[in-house]
Amino acid sequence: QKEVEQDPGPLSVPEGAIVSLNCTYSNSAFQYFMWYRQYSRKGPELLMYTYSSGNKEDGRFTAQVDKSSKYISLFIRDSQPSDSATYLCAMSTNMIIFGKGTRLHILP
Amino acid sequence: DTGVSQNPRHKITKRGQNVTFRCDPISEHNRLYWYRQTLGQGPEFLTYFQNEAQLEKSRLLSDRFSAERPKGSFSTLEIQRTEQGDSAMYLCASSPLGGRVETQYFGPGTRLLVL
């Protein structure tokens, strides 16, 4: 079992819809949980990070962590075509372990 | 632009040749990381510097790979005797001393194709 599991997609949703992206993990030692956005042929860009279980909101983005279930989510409200990208979940102890990334397409 | 920069952005080489990539971190960032990303995968950690000291190396970093950060500023990653399996995006990231590991800022990457 890989340390971080993420469905690669692709996930296609209409503009304006709520997007839900998820990851599961196996290592209880992970302390920080991150979401990165990566556009084609670009480096990853940190969107959000959180430390504890619960929700963290930043504009249209909400990150959710459930440590008891080893499950994290990213919700995107009012999705826009510019949100089309690959979304990588990542977790860290002393180094970052990335998921494979989910390719997201927002259809105009 | 004061972000992380990487050069070249693209490199095509023949199998067996040596290649060198350069990373310029954000000014005053003491920590510098190298990652490799293959198609359909997330970035995988290769190595990490704090100032000029290379503190950690992944088992992915075979003997053909060497990284340096001689003055604690820019870093180079060299791959000797390239193989087709080395084709990937090589990403560099930097973070400030005292910053948590998750506060890394990534560069645009160098895309390597080995023919």
Side-chain angles (χ1 to χ4, degrees), chain A residues 4-75:
Chain A
V4 180
E5 299 276 4
Q6 182 175 14
D7 186 335
L11 177 64
S12 297
V13 299
E15 183 177 356
I18 295 175
V19 175
S20 173
L21 303 166
N22 312 292
C23 287
T24 58
Y25 64 95
S26 58
N27 187 348
S28 304
F30 286 135
Q31 297 176 319
Y32 292 93
F33 304 88
M34 294 81 77
W35 286 95
Y36 287 81
R37 178 175 61 195
Q38 187 173 24
Y39 291 112
S40 181
R41 302 184 184 280
K42 302 286 187 183
E45 171 195 9
L46 179 65
L47 282 176
M48 299 181 70
Y49 72 89
T50 186
Y51 176 72
S52 58
S53 283
N55 294 354
K56 182 176 181 180
E57 190 173 319
D58 185 359
R60 296 185 296 111
F61 298 90
T62 299
Q64 190 173 78
V65 174
D66 182 347
K67 287 188 174 181
S68 62
S69 301
K70 297 189 177 66
Y71 188 89
I72 71 169
S73 301
L74 179 71
F75 298 97

Side-chain angles (χ1 to χ4, degrees), chain B:
Chain B
D1 187 351
T2 56
V4 177
S5 62
Q6 292 187 246
N7 288 289
R9 294 293 309 279
H10 304 274
K11 179 70 177 179
I12 300 174
T13 191
K14 292 183 179 179
R15 189 178 55 184
Q17 297 295 305
N18 299 344
V19 294
T20 299
F21 310 140
R22 175 176 169 133
C23 170
D24 288 89
I26 293 172
S27 178
E28 298 179 358
H29 274 194
N30 301 83
R31 294 178 176 171
L32 188 148
Y33 306 80
W34 284 99
Y35 292 83
R36 181 176 70 185
Q37 185 176 24
T38 53
L39 198 62
Q41 302 294 321
E44 294 175 294
F45 170 79
L46 292 178
T47 191
Y48 151 56
F49 290 86
Q50 182 165 302
N51 298 313
E52 64 274 10
Q54 190 173 15
L55 296 185
E56 198 157 350
K57 291 196 292 186
S58 163
R59 55 182 168 78
L60 293 176
L61 210 68
S62 76
D63 291 345
R64 296 184 298 106
F65 287 70
S66 63
E68 294 182 343
R69 195 181 182 200
K71 296 182 180 179
S73 56
F74 72 92
S75 175
T76 58
L77 178 67
E78 181 183 18
I79 309 174
Q80 296 182 325
R81 305 181 303 281
T82 52
E83 301 173 356
Q84 288 183 323
D86 296 331
S87 296
M89 171 88 92
Y90 289 85
L91 291 161
C92 175
S94 70
S95 69
L97 186 65
R100 289 187 294 267
V101 66
E102 68 280 3
T103 55
Q104 294 181 27
Y105 296 86
F106 282 83
T110 294
R111 187 173 294 276
L112 173 66
L113 178 61
V114 182
L115 301 176

